Every structure is written in structure tokens, then in C-alpha cells.
Amino acid sequence: MLNKKILRDIWKNKSQFITIFLMAFLAVFAFAGVHAYMDGMKESSEIYYNNQNLQDIWLTSKNFKTDKLDEIKKIDNVKNAERLLTINANVSEPERFVNPDTNKKLSDLVIECNFIETNEINKMYLIEGEEYSKEKSGLWLDFYLAKKLKIKVGDELELSIEGNSFKEKVKGLVEVPDHVYFIKDDTAIFPTHTDYGFCYLSINEFPNNVQPTFPYAIVDVNDTSKALETKNKIKETTNDIITATLREDNLSYDGYKREAEEGETYSGVFSGLFVFIAILSVVTTMNRFVKKERTQIGTLKALGIKRSKITKMYVNYGFFISVIASILGIILGNLLIGKFFLEMEMEYYEIPYYNITTIPLVYGVAIGIIIVITLVTYLSCRKILKEPAATALRIERPKVKVKENSFTTKKAFNKLSLSTKWSLRDIVRSKGRTLMAIVGIAGCTMLVVTAFGMLDSMKSYVSWEFETINNFEYKLSLSTDYTEKQYDDIISKYGNATSQTTGVEFKSNSEIIVKPLTINDTNRLLQVTDHNRNPFTMKDDGLYITEKMSKVNNLKIGDIVEWHIIGSDKWYKTKIVGLNRDPQAQQFNCTKNFFDTLEEEYKADSVYTNENLSGIKEIAGVNTIQTIKNLEDGMNSMLNMMYSLIALLIVVSVILAIVIIYNLGILSFSEKEYQFATLKVLGYKYKQIKKIFIKQNIWIGIFAIAIALPLGNCMTDYIFKNAIGDTYDFEAMIKPITFIISSIGTFVVVYIVNQFLARKIKKIDLVSSLKGNE
């Protein structure tokens, strides 16, 4: 009998139970889905790194000869070591390939060529073609680049390395663990897989007329917990090591890891807010539903049915609905959000096998939601069951404190309409419901503001980077061994705006930290900006440091920093003379005039120009020719993923907002049904009562929106300051139109939902509403 009653009640109150289901479902759906792809990213990379034996230590030197490599292999904890030669090569006739993103022919295509001997460390993962062997000719090409440009196994590429051309057949398509994330240079953020890729070749394929040197070596250790100690031993044992970096400092490893961690921050904020708002709404709804059933609970109690059976029946309402919502939320969250966004992320990161995953935390949150909803239902029911049956049979009248509501009788309120006075008194009397409504509407508005705000901020970042800092049309990345004649020819034709970026080590407390130093002689083609993003000219009397780096390392203007260029034994003590701000490169900066005062040689590695180089594919002494347009296109292609994520957040936020606002309206109406019935009996017309009902909810909506706008800005700012780590430096930059659209959108939803609910006033049964207590 009680089970039948459950089904009848659910059908009778289907709108309320649908909203309860949707709110619980959306909370788990968003939380599980976002975690599925973020945790999937982490777990997939760990498996891939282990299976393909990603190196633990990277080494650079002038040349790793065989005896030097053998010396490294003998060091304690070193399991194996390999050497390699890495150099960029231009692909002849790049126009035979089409950029799939723009449908235009490529103007340049650069491939990072890695000439190797063995492949026991950092093993290639073969997707198609032949296995690598030192004795085999040909090249093993980046699978992602091949897929984008439709290059197949068996195709032939003509490569040019510093004027030496040679042809190689594609023997296999591969992915490599230390190329999970790789970019053309520091002006790019995300790989495009269209104009830059990598390949691996046997050292036997290196051009015969050039003597190969091995400037790089990779090391595999037995005990990773002692990797730092092993790195230091290698530097002590082998005197001419220029740099030695651990896995955690590698661009590919760190870039991928940072993306997953950044996602955890903003996804945690979003999904956490979803869960909080949904639980708050569901708890309130279940509490109101049980209170509405008080007369039926009293009737069942009067008929002699045990308390335990009545309690179990009402607890089942919340329990089963939350269980079904949670199970569906986890399943659909994994399939719809998790799988979709993991696939999208892997368009940028090269991992051959990956899967979504569900960590215990997700199940814990789902179980927590079930427990909270069930517990609230139990406590609400228990409270009514404590009352005598005769008391429970009567409808609960609202507790009205005369003194608390007498303020509307004062002179200042005499000219206010009845609907305004009514709304004011009801807001004061129903503080809990009002607060719940404000929190619910404000929370949903915050989510919308934050989603759009993230988009605005990223666009602002792109503008800062590519319209202010990078004030050039072309960047020429020079070869490492260009001749003086080649350099003179380049600057005579394309201008003398040059820069050099070199690695430096500096002392910070008791640590030695490695950071870049850019020596700027670009005639403002590569600009430095102040805190407000305005370009300024650096002075020639010391070092400049980026703001983010200064905060992280507790350095300020006037401090003396002790540093040296990597590869040089001479240390300098230099005053920090200024701060500059950069959105993505946290480093030291100085002018060439200052650098010339040191006992170091300035060797430019980049030339910047506004000359038209569209018809030029190769320049002697130049490794790569990059256009600012290509760099910006790469950034915008990355934003496409963010557009999708933002679209999802907006859709879920809007659905949650509609559900919550509708649910709050239902609760508001059910609490006022007795009063509205009284007004109808007193002769008030439908329009007058409707005005009373809508006015209060509109007020609450406007107040909630006003609170949500600054909170949305703070939330966006928090995400950017805490999710992007120490590498990037930009904050929320939300356009006024975003606040306007979010405000109008929420207000329209509030207005339409309340207009729809106001129709229920016509259907109020006066007899059941007014005679219920007799």
C-alpha cells in the first residue's frame, strides 16, 4: 500500500521530483564528466611514459663523444644513456601540403630531425610502418603531423639542413613520449601539427659532407627518487656538461602536466559550485515536500502505521531518486563530457592510447549527495512524526512575528502598493527561502559570467601577446652555427632588430634556479610591457625581471641577484632595476648595451622584421621563418577547445538555472497558496495576485544578479591566477557586454519562469486551501 502511495505521490508531484532528479543529476554529471577527462589525461600519460621508458635526465654539451657517454653510464644509479643530434630542417616545396585549418597551402614546413643510434630510452611508439633500426634508411615521422598533412608511409620528403638537401622515405609513423607536447619556439603555446613536427632518423642518414656532433644525451636511472642526486653526480663527473635537467623540468612533460593541473583547478571550481548549488536546492526541495505531506503523515500515524514504516517510505523518495540521478550522472558524464573533451585535448597532446577514468573521489561525491538528500528527508519526516497525530493532521501555519513585520505600517511605507508591502513582509518572514533563492540564482549567474569571462580573458591575452608584445611581421630563428657573413647579410637585408635568449642560473635563497635571459636589441619590435600592459623602454643599467617571477622568487627592484650564463663559470652580481610583465615568458630581460658591459659575447639567435618575406622559403643562416599570423593562428586553434568547454559550461549553467528558478518558484507558490486563496476570497483579481507573486521573485532575482556579477569576476580572476601556475601571468579581463548579457539572460529566465508559474493562481482550490485545518 505504501509503495503504491510512493508512485502516486511521485506522479502527482512529478514537476518537483523531476527538478530534484535534474539537480542531483547535473551536479554528478558535471563533476564526474570533468574529472573523467582530467584524470584520464593523468593516468594515460603515466602508463605511456612507463611503457615507452621516458628519460629521467636530459643533458646538453658541446659534443657527447663515445668515451664521455661510457663515463656517464658508469655512474651509480645510471641504468642507460643515449646520445642524439637534434636539428631543424626545412621541407622543400611546403606548398604541396595544405593547412587543414585554413584550407590554404603551407608557406613553410619545419621538421625537427632527431638523429639517433639506439632507441632503448624514449622509445618510439609505432603506429604504422616498420620498426626502427640503426641500419635502416628513411625517417620515422610524427604521426600527428602526418595525419594533418595526409602524409603516408612510403611518401618521400626532401629536407634541407643549413643548405644541405637530402631525400628520405617515410618508413613509419610514430609518437614519442618526450614529444607529447612540443612547440616551434617560445612564441607559441600550443602545437598546431601543421607547419611543425618531428622525425627520427638513424645517425647514418646525417648528410655525408657534415661531421655530426651529439649535443644532447638522455639518461635512464634505476631509482627515480635519486634522480636529482644522480644529475648532480653527472655534472660533477663530466666537467663540460652545459645543462642537466630532470624530467619535471622538461617542456613536454611539464607542459602536459601543467595542463592537467590547470584543468583540475578550474574544473574543480566549476563542478564544485555545481554540486553546492544543486545540493542546496535539492535539500530545500525535499524538506519542503515532506512538510507539505505533514497531514498525510499525521493520517498514516493516526491509522496506526508504525513510525519506522512511514519514515522508510519518505526516505525512499530522496534515496532512490538521488541513486538513479547519481548513477546516470556518472555514466553520462563519462561518456558525454569525459570522452568528448579527452578526445579534444588529445588533438594537441600526442599520446597514442588514452582512456577516461573515474577516481574514487567521484564515487565519494555521488555517495555524499545521496547521503545528504536521504538524511535531510529522514530528519524532516522525523520532526513531524514527533508531533501528536492530532497536531500533524493540521496544516503548518507560517510563524508570523508581529513586531518583526510591523515596519511596513510606518509612515515611510504608507505610499507603497499592497504588492510591495506584501513582498517586503514575506521576504522578512521567509528568510531561509529568500536566502536559498538568492544563493541559487546568484550561483548560476556566476557560472555564466565566469564561462564568458574566461573567453574574454583569453582573447585579451591573445591581443596582449600578438598586438602589443610581438610588434613584428616575421621572426627569423637563426641557425646555431651561422657564419659572420651570413649574419651580416641577414641584418643588411632585413634590419638589425635582434635578440638572444640564453639560459642562466641564479641563486635564490639556498637554491640554484634556471631561467631564460632575453637580451633585447629589437628596436621595439619585441616589446616589454609594464603592469598595465603598456610598452616601455628598458634602461641600460641592470636586469629586468617579470612580475610573476619576482613574486615567486621574492625579488624586488633594488635587490642584487647573483647569476651566471649556463656554460660559463663567471658569476655576476647585478642589480634588478625594473619589473616588466609578460603573459607567458617568466624570465630576466636586459638591453644589449647592458649585456655588452659584461665579459660575454652577444650572439643573436633571432631577427625580427616587418619586411615582406612571403615569397622566401629559405635564407642562409636561418633555421626557421615564422610569421606572426601563423603564431596567432596556432593560439586561436587552441581556443577552439576552450570555446567548446565554455559552451558546455554555459549550457549546463543555463539548464541548472532554469531548474533551480523553476523549483524556487514552485516552493514560493506552495508556501503562499493559503494566502493567495485568502486574497481570492477577499475579491482580489488574478492580475493583482499575480503581481504580488512575480514582484517578489523579480526583486530576489535582481538582487542575486547584482551580487553575482562581482563574484563572477572574482571567480574568473581566481581561476586564472591559481590554475595557470608560475609560467603564465594574466588575470580576468571581462568585457562590460559579458556582464550585460549574463544579467539580461538570467533576468529573462527568472521573468519567464515566474510568468509560467503564475498561471497556477487560477487553479487554486479555495476549499482545500482554506478548509484544510477543519
Side-chain angles (χ1 to χ4, degrees):
M1 180 187 71
L2 294 180
N3 289 336
K4 287 181 181 179
K5 182 183 180 324
I6 290 174
L7 295 174
R8 283 199 304 269
D9 284 347
I10 290 173
W11 179 252
K12 183 180 176 183
N13 300 280
K14 53 184 174 289
S15 60
Q16 277 184 280
F17 281 106
I18 288 172
T19 58
I20 291 169
F21 171 83
L22 284 174
M23 285 185 285
F25 167 76
L26 287 171
V28 179
F29 175 75
F31 192 83
V34 172
H35 267 278
Y37 93 87
M38 284 297 170
D39 296 317
M41 281 183 69
K42 277 186 171 181
E43 190 175 280
S44 300
S45 66
E46 288 169 7
I47 294 170
Y48 180 48
Y49 292 149
N50 289 334
N51 290 347
Q52 304 307 121
N53 195 25
L54 175 65
Q55 57 263 44
D56 299 298
I57 302 172
W58 279 260
L59 303 174
T60 63
S61 178
K62 289 182 179 179
N63 186 17
F64 284 97
K65 294 182 179 179
T66 306
D67 56 343
K68 187 191 291 188
L69 194 70
D70 292 338
E71 191 180 349
I72 292 170
K73 288 180 180 179
K74 292 175 184 177
I75 294 172
D76 289 342
N77 197 39
V78 172
K79 187 176 181 181
N80 196 5
E82 295 178 2
R83 57 183 183 167
L84 67 153
L85 166 58
T86 299
I87 190 167
N88 283 347
N90 292 299
V91 177
S92 301
E93 299 180 357
E95 62 273 5
R96 64 187 264 213
F97 302 108
V98 176
N99 185 333
D101 298 325
T102 61
N103 260 344
K104 294 179 181 177
K105 291 182 178 181
L106 292 179
S107 58
D108 68 292
L109 173 57
V110 178
I111 294 181
E112 176 197 274
C113 295
N114 298 275
F115 294 91
I116 60 174
E117 297 170 306
T118 57
N119 191 225
E120 294 171 6
I121 307 173
N122 192 39
K123 296 176 186 175
M124 288 181 252
Y125 181 87
L126 184 67
I127 293 175
E128 187 181 338
E130 303 176 19
E131 290 284 351
Y132 167 80
S133 170
K134 184 182 177 181
E135 284 69 40
K136 290 181 180 179
S137 61
L139 61 81
W140 281 258
L141 185 64
D142 172 9
F143 169 72
Y144 272 52
L145 181 73
K147 183 174 70 171
K148 281 267 190 176
L149 301 184
K150 298 180 180 177
I151 300 173
K152 300 180 181 65
V153 173
D155 289 353
E156 194 172 62
L157 297 177
E158 184 175 352
L159 305 176
S160 175
I161 296 178
E162 298 177 2
N164 296 287
S165 294
F166 60 103
K167 292 182 179 180
E168 294 287 350
K169 189 173 283 187
V170 177
K171 286 295 182 71
L173 303 180
V174 298
E175 292 183 26
V176 185
D178 72 349
H179 281 75
V180 166
Y181 164 78
F182 71 104
I183 53 178
K184 205 165 189 175
D185 66 8
D186 57 8
T187 56
I189 293 184
F190 272 74
T192 59
H193 304 299
T194 54
D195 62 350
Y196 187 63
F198 67 86
C199 72
Y200 279 73
L201 309 91
S202 167
I203 191 62
N204 297 333
E205 297 302 296
F206 197 72
N208 293 328
N209 58 337
V210 181
Q211 180 63 34
T213 59
F214 291 92
Y216 305 104
I218 51 179
V219 178
D220 183 26
V221 301
N222 290 306
D223 185 353
T224 54
S225 65
K226 297 179 180 177
L228 178 59
E229 182 184 330
T230 306
K231 182 194 83 167
N232 293 333
K233 279 184 183 177
I234 292 172
K235 289 184 75 175
E236 290 169 9
T237 307
T238 314
N239 296 326
D240 56 351
I241 295 291
I242 297 173
T243 62
T245 55
L246 297 175
R247 178 186 289 192
E248 291 73 19
D249 301 317
N250 174 256
L251 177 65
S252 172
Y253 183 89
D254 182 59
Y256 183 87
K257 181 184 175 186
R258 194 168 59 240
E259 175 68 12
E261 289 174 350
E262 288 168 11
E264 275 188 338
T265 302
Y266 65 74
S267 65
V269 171
F270 273 105
S271 53
L273 193 56
F274 275 130
V275 170
F276 172 73
I277 294 169
I279 286 180
L280 196 63
S281 300
V282 170
V283 163
T284 307
T285 305
M286 285 306 302
N287 185 38
R288 297 293 178 189
F289 170 75
V290 173
K291 282 187 175 182
K292 188 180 176 183
E293 291 281 298
R294 64 178 286 112
T295 54
Q296 295 202 35
I297 292 171
T299 303
L300 293 171
K301 189 177 178 183
L303 291 171
I305 297 174
K306 292 180 181 178
R307 285 187 180 187
S308 59
K309 284 191 175 181
I310 300 172
T311 303
K312 183 182 176 182
M313 179 187 73
Y314 281 97
V315 164
N316 282 343
Y317 285 112
F319 177 76
F320 285 113
I321 286 176
S322 57
V323 166
I324 295 168
S326 297
I327 292 171
L328 285 175
I330 291 173
I331 294 171
L332 295 180
N334 283 352
L335 295 177
L336 298 182
I337 298 180
K339 199 166 183 181
F340 175 77
F341 281 104
L342 185 60
E343 291 280 352
M344 191 172 287
E345 283 277 11
M346 292 310 167
E347 287 292 316
Y348 299 96
Y349 298 101
E350 298 199 22
I351 292 184
Y353 41 85
Y354 48 86
N355 285 295
I356 55 174
T357 186
T358 305
I359 60 171
L361 176 65
V362 174
Y363 295 113
V365 168
I367 291 169
I369 289 173
I370 294 167
I371 290 172
V372 169
I373 293 171
T374 305
L375 182 63
V376 167
T377 312
Y378 166 74
L379 294 175
S380 301
C381 185
R382 184 184 170 204
K383 184 180 177 183
I384 297 171
L385 284 170
K386 280 184 176 181
E387 299 176 2
T391 306
L393 281 166
R394 294 181 173 275
I395 296 172
E396 185 181 25
R397 293 178 179 272
K399 295 176 181 178
V400 180
K401 296 179 181 179
V402 178
K403 288 183 180 179
E404 192 179 64
N405 288 276
S406 62
F407 68 94
T408 55
T409 60
K410 295 179 180 179
K411 266 189 179 181
F413 297 89
N414 285 345
K415 294 182 179 180
L416 296 179
S417 63
L418 175 67
S419 61
T420 302
K421 290 180 180 179
W422 185 294
S423 296
L424 287 170
R425 291 167 69 92
D426 192 62
I427 286 170
V428 173
R429 182 171 64 242
S430 307
K431 297 183 185 71
R433 172 169 47 81
T434 302
L435 183 62
M436 168 54 208
I438 291 170
V439 171
I441 297 171
C444 294
T445 309
M446 272 179 66
L447 290 171
V448 175
V449 170
T450 304
F452 279 116
M454 287 175 68
L455 180 60
D456 287 347
S457 301
M458 286 304 297
K459 285 183 175 179
S460 170
Y461 156 68
V462 172
S463 173
W464 182 11
E465 183 68 36
F466 293 104
E467 294 177 17
T468 304
I469 293 176
N470 296 319
N471 194 30
F472 55 85
E473 290 299 322
Y474 288 88
K475 177 183 178 181
L476 310 180
S477 297
L478 304 181
S479 305
T480 53
D481 56 352
Y482 62 81
T483 64
E484 190 174 337
K485 184 180 182 306
Q486 288 173 335
Y487 179 71
D488 290 340
D489 288 343
I490 291 167
I491 61 173
S492 65
K493 288 180 181 178
Y494 309 115
N496 62 351
T498 65
S499 74
Q500 178 189 351
T501 299
T502 184
V504 300
E505 289 184 327
F506 73 98
K507 294 179 180 178
S508 178
N509 298 323
S510 58
E511 290 185 86
I512 301 292
I513 299 173
V514 178
K515 282 291 180 181
L517 164 65
T518 294
I519 302 114
N520 193 318
D521 190 33
T522 63
N523 300 325
R524 297 181 71 92
L525 292 189
L526 180 65
Q527 304 195 108
V528 288
T529 56
D530 61 18
H531 179 78
N532 297 317
R533 306 186 178 188
N534 298 314
F536 69 93
T537 303
M538 290 189 291
K539 297 177 182 178
D540 301 328
D541 54 350
L543 289 175
Y544 284 76
I545 184 174
T546 51
E547 285 188 12
K548 188 72 170 279
M549 184 176 155
S550 71
K551 290 177 184 175
V552 171
N553 296 285
N554 195 27
L555 293 170
K556 59 185 182 297
I557 295 174
D559 285 354
I560 303 296
V561 62
E562 191 173 354
W563 63 283
H564 79 107
I565 294 174
I566 293 174
S568 170
D569 295 329
K570 185 168 180 58
W571 286 79
Y572 300 96
K573 290 185 178 181
T574 306
K575 185 178 181 181
I576 295 175
V577 296
L579 301 177
N580 71 291
R581 197 158 173 230
D582 194 290
Q584 67 168 333
Q586 306 314 313
Q587 60 179 24
F588 290 109
N589 294 278
C590 72
T591 63
K592 182 177 179 294
N593 289 339
F594 167 75
F595 191 75
D596 287 341
T597 64
L598 307 176
E599 296 176 11
E600 302 289 345
E601 179 191 2
Y602 175 76
K603 185 175 173 62
D605 55 24
S606 299
V607 176
Y608 307 88
T609 182
N610 288 323
E611 297 288 332
N612 186 359
L613 305 181
S614 56
I616 300 174
K617 297 180 177 60
E618 194 168 328
I619 301 171
V622 173
N623 210 356
T624 58
I625 304 171
Q626 295 171 278
T627 70
I628 194 68
K629 183 70 169 61
N630 288 343
L631 295 173
E632 189 173 356
D633 287 344
M635 167 59 71
N636 288 325
S637 70
M638 180 274 289
L639 286 178
N640 289 333
M641 186 188 71
M642 183 162 280
Y643 294 151
S644 300
L645 180 60
I646 288 168
L648 173 73
L649 293 171
I650 291 170
V651 168
V652 175
S653 299
V654 169
I655 293 173
L656 193 62
I658 292 170
V659 170
I660 286 175
I661 291 167
Y662 177 81
N663 183 55
L664 293 170
I666 287 281
L667 292 177
S668 177
F669 178 83
S670 63
E671 287 188 358
K672 296 184 181 76
E673 191 172 352
Y674 182 83
Q675 293 97 310
F676 290 161
T678 304
L679 290 174
K680 285 185 84 171
V681 169
L682 292 173
Y684 281 82
K685 294 179 181 179
Y686 163 70
K687 286 185 179 180
Q688 292 174 301
I689 302 173
K690 177 185 174 182
K691 187 177 180 182
I692 293 171
F693 174 68
I694 291 177
K695 180 177 280 189
Q696 182 184 141
N697 293 332
I698 293 294
W699 283 2
I700 292 170
I702 291 172
F703 183 74
I705 291 168
I707 293 173
L709 297 182
L711 289 177
N713 185 74
C714 292
M715 185 173 168
T716 309
D717 201 51
Y718 171 83
I719 287 173
F720 280 116
K721 286 181 177 176
N722 290 274
I724 59 180
D726 297 337
T727 307
Y728 301 106
D729 179 18
F730 52 94
E731 67 289 307
M733 295 290 287
I734 305 178
K735 295 178 181 176
I737 190 66
T738 296
F739 292 115
I740 294 169
I741 291 172
S742 301
S743 302
I744 292 175
T746 306
F747 180 83
V748 167
V749 171
V750 171
Y751 183 78
I752 291 173
V753 167
N754 281 286
Q755 284 284 350
F756 175 76
L757 289 172
R759 296 177 182 179
K760 290 180 173 287
I761 295 170
K762 293 180 180 179
K763 300 177 183 178
I764 293 175
D765 186 343
L766 299 180
V767 174
S768 62
S769 296
L770 296 174
K771 306 283 283 183
N773 278 319
E774 292 186 5

